Amino acid sequence: MHKAEAEMEMISNIKYGLGADADMNLNESLAEYFKANADYFNVEIRLLQYHVQVIGLDSLVDIPQSIASLQTQTSNLTEIALPPADLLKIVGELVEPKLEVVVPDIMKGHLIILEPVSGTCSAVLPISKTVTRSVASPETENTLYGSSSAFLEDINTNIGILRKHCTGSSLQVETYTVGKSHPKSLLLIYQQDKIKPRLLQSIQAKIKAGLDQDVHHIQQLEKMLGVNTWSLVTNLNMTELPQNAAHSLQQGKAVLMLDRYPFAIIIPSLVMDMFCMKDDHNYPLPFMYLIRFLRIVGVLIATIIPGLYVALVSVNPEVLRLQLALSIANSRQEVPYPAFVETLLLLIVLELILEASIRLPKSVGPTITMVGGIILGQAAVSAKLVSNLLIIVLAGTTIASSTVVGFQNSVTVRVFKYLLIILSAIYGMLGLLAGIVVICAYMGHQKSMGIPYLSLPILNQKDERNG
């Protein structure tokens, strides 16, 4: 037993850089551990009759204000003979004076108060430095009649923003710490009277089972939640609009928030999330349904029209009226490539323009992509590489794919159209119809957190019991 304890202590010492100097005190151990960190500080102040060491990271802690706050807290104490442990317990939480305990608190931005004579140690919440941006307007999602505030990197600020939109008492916020080498805070938010117990228990169980996994991006979060990372449909919906997150909570969904990630992650993801958003309810009811119908039409256009063009031009031109068939044949008279090749060629150019518009600076991005698209399109037509009709078809397709809610959903639509183009080039109209059936069957087979992707919005518990 003693041998096992000695081995564990040796492993801990190696991990935290103690080595043969394991007998040195905590002050010296911390100085040795943080010797390569320029923002590490260790200052001595007086609290009552004790001289204590204040330890932390200058990049995370406002030193003057934090020290002034500590001295203000202790200045009203009348018991001069207060033991060190009682004094430090008043200003913070007592912790063991061990390196493996103290270092994580320092990395989180806490202050460590050490009384060197007795060896008593306390972790204190300091006055932190502002290391994040203020609440601003959304950058990736636009809203017309909704709130103009957006989530940001600070997880506590995000909770406050969300609580402004969800003022009911049923809102529950559960906190988890995920990861070993780089711990991060993960919040599970739900409305107790809306979410289904089975869904909540499933999410909680998967989070608790994966607490040891580091979560730095969405793919790692999907792996922890046990969803299919190779799925072509969206398993998790991301939004930076608080009203969309609040609307999802009212529908019986759950919201995850990851520290330093400026988006709310909504689970489960359903097909209607591509067409519905909270902002729609600020329109008159007929307009709301017309706008959502327009988004559905946009998805159908973006998915089907390119494949339909290839099928009608290269395989089944007899379906067209004679005048239209002759007009299309005339526009493609000097094009050296088949319809399938010219469509793929121009689609690749459009995908490059879309990707460049994301990466370029906002000051020059729209101008460069617009001018580049016009010049490339006109040059391709003049060089007889593509037909005029294809330019119209793919321009309309690209615009229609952006009508869906959420950029990740528009990527899904853009991927599905390539399947239809390939099948249409081989089998014509029959291949197009077969591709539509395959896509519908694939979407019907998908599930998000055990809920079918094609299901309607989740009912709350009361509706479920009545139904």
Side-chain angles (χ1 to χ4, degrees), residues 48 54 70 78 95 109 115 168 194 211 283 300 327 335 410 440:
L48 296 182
V54 180
L70 289 173
T78 57
V95 295
E115 204 284 309
K194 298 290 184 180
L211 291 179
Y283 296 97
L300 295 177
S327 176
V335 176
S410 67
C440 293

Side-chain angles (χ1 to χ4, degrees), residues 278-462:
K278 178 64 174 178
D279 197 16
D280 298 340
H281 294 274
N282 295 320
Y283 296 97
L285 191 63
F287 296 159
M288 181 188 76
Y289 285 114
L290 285 174
I291 290 172
R292 292 180 176 179
F293 177 74
L294 186 63
R295 292 177 186 147
I296 296 174
V297 172
V299 170
L300 295 177
I301 291 175
T303 308
I304 297 175
I305 294 301
L308 181 63
Y309 170 83
V310 173
L312 293 178
V313 170
S314 61
V315 182
N316 299 113
E318 68 276 3
V319 177
L320 299 171
R321 291 185 59 184
L322 180 60
Q323 294 85 348
L324 182 57
L326 292 175
S327 176
I328 294 175
N330 184 50
S331 67
R332 299 191 69 256
Q333 185 175 1
E334 298 181 9
V335 176
Y337 306 112
F340 174 70
V341 175
E342 67 167 342
T343 303
L344 280 184
L345 178 65
L346 200 56
L347 276 176
I348 292 173
V349 173
L350 289 175
E351 297 290 352
L352 291 175
I353 293 175
L354 288 174
E355 186 65 19
S357 65
I358 299 173
R359 308 300 168 204
L360 286 172
K362 293 182 179 180
S363 57
V364 298
T367 303
I368 292 178
T369 53
M370 183 179 296
V371 173
I374 293 174
I375 292 175
L376 286 175
Q378 184 63 36
V381 172
S382 301
K384 303 299 181 181
L385 297 178
V386 296
S387 64
N388 290 315
L389 180 60
L390 181 61
I391 295 289
I392 299 173
V393 169
L394 294 190
T397 298
T398 305
I399 295 172
S401 65
S402 300
T403 59
V404 298
V405 178
F407 179 76
Q408 67 277 6
N409 290 322
S410 67
V411 175
T412 298
V413 174
R414 285 156 56 187
V415 170
F416 281 152
K417 69 184 176 185
Y418 288 100
L419 173 63
L420 297 184
I421 290 173
I422 294 173
L423 292 177
S424 299
I426 300 174
Y427 301 108
M429 293 298 297
L430 180 61
L432 178 66
L433 295 176
I436 294 174
V437 173
V438 169
I439 291 174
C440 293
Y442 177 80
M443 295 174 65
H445 179 69
Q446 297 301 305
K447 291 185 177 181
S448 178
M449 303 304 296
I451 297 176
Y453 182 71
L454 295 182
S455 61
L456 295 175
I458 305 173
L459 300 175
N460 60 39
Q461 297 179 36
K462 181 178 179 181

Side-chain angles (χ1 to χ4, degrees), residues 5-81:
E5 293 177 354
E7 291 178 352
M8 291 297 295
E9 184 178 359
M10 181 179 66
I11 294 173
S12 177
N13 292 339
I14 294 174
K15 178 181 178 182
Y16 288 93
L18 290 178
D21 298 327
D23 294 332
M24 66 175 66
N25 60 39
L26 180 62
N27 196 1
E28 296 173 347
S29 301
L30 287 172
E32 176 67 19
Y33 184 84
F34 287 101
K35 64 181 180 181
N37 295 270
D39 56 346
Y40 172 76
F41 69 89
N42 186 336
V43 297
E44 183 178 312
I45 65 172
R46 183 181 178 88
L47 294 180
L48 296 182
Q49 75 274 25
Y50 300 106
H51 291 275
V52 298
Q53 302 288 330
V54 180
I55 305 169
L57 296 178
D58 183 26
S59 57
L60 300 177
V61 177
D62 191 325
I63 303 174
Q65 293 193 30
S66 298
I67 292 177
S69 176
L70 289 173
Q71 293 176 337
T72 301
Q73 286 180 342
T74 57
S75 63
N76 298 327
L77 297 178
T78 57
E79 300 183 31
I80 302 299

Side-chain angles (χ1 to χ4, degrees), residues 167-186:
T167 57
S169 59
S170 64
L171 186 68
Q172 304 293 320
V173 180
E174 297 183 4
T175 305
Y176 301 91
T177 301
V178 296
K180 284 187 174 180
S181 58
H182 299 282
K184 278 194 173 185
S185 296
L186 177 67

Side-chain angles (χ1 to χ4, degrees), residues 193-320:
D193 58 342
K194 298 290 184 180
I195 193 169
K196 290 184 178 180
R198 183 180 301 176
L199 174 62
L200 177 61
Q201 293 169 4
S202 174
I203 298 173
Q204 290 172 333
K206 291 179 179 179
I207 292 178
K208 292 176 182 178
L211 291 179
D212 294 338
Q213 302 179 26
D214 288 325
V215 179
H216 301 291
H217 46 74
I218 299 301
Q219 290 182 7
Q220 291 178 338
L221 181 61
E222 288 179 337
K223 183 179 179 181
M224 186 181 73
L225 295 176
V227 299
N228 182 13
T229 56
W230 287 96
S231 175
L232 296 179
V233 299
T234 304
N235 294 307
L236 311 174
N237 277 322
M238 277 75 72
T239 181
E240 62 173 339
L241 297 178
Q243 59 265 31
N244 286 350
H247 182 59
S248 298
L249 291 173
Q250 294 169 4
Q251 288 183 323
K253 298 181 181 181
V255 170
L256 297 176
M257 286 187 177
L258 187 64
D259 195 18
R260 315 315 302 171
Y261 187 72
F263 293 87
I265 304 162
I266 301 171
I267 50 176
S269 173
L270 305 179
V271 67
M272 291 305 297
D273 295 332
M274 301 174 65
F275 314 113
C276 305
M277 59 185 303
K278 178 64 174 178
D279 197 16
D280 298 340
H281 294 274
N282 295 320
Y283 296 97
L285 191 63
F287 296 159
M288 181 188 76
Y289 285 114
L290 285 174
I291 290 172
R292 292 180 176 179
F293 177 74
L294 186 63
R295 292 177 186 147
I296 296 174
V297 172
V299 170
L300 295 177
I301 291 175
T303 308
I304 297 175
I305 294 301
L308 181 63
Y309 170 83
V310 173
L312 293 178
V313 170
S314 61
V315 182
N316 299 113
E318 68 276 3
V319 177
L320 299 171

Side-chain angles (χ1 to χ4, degrees), residues 113-127:
I113 310 298
L114 174 63
E115 204 284 309
V117 177
S118 63
T120 309
C121 191
S122 174
V124 180
L125 287 175
I127 298 177

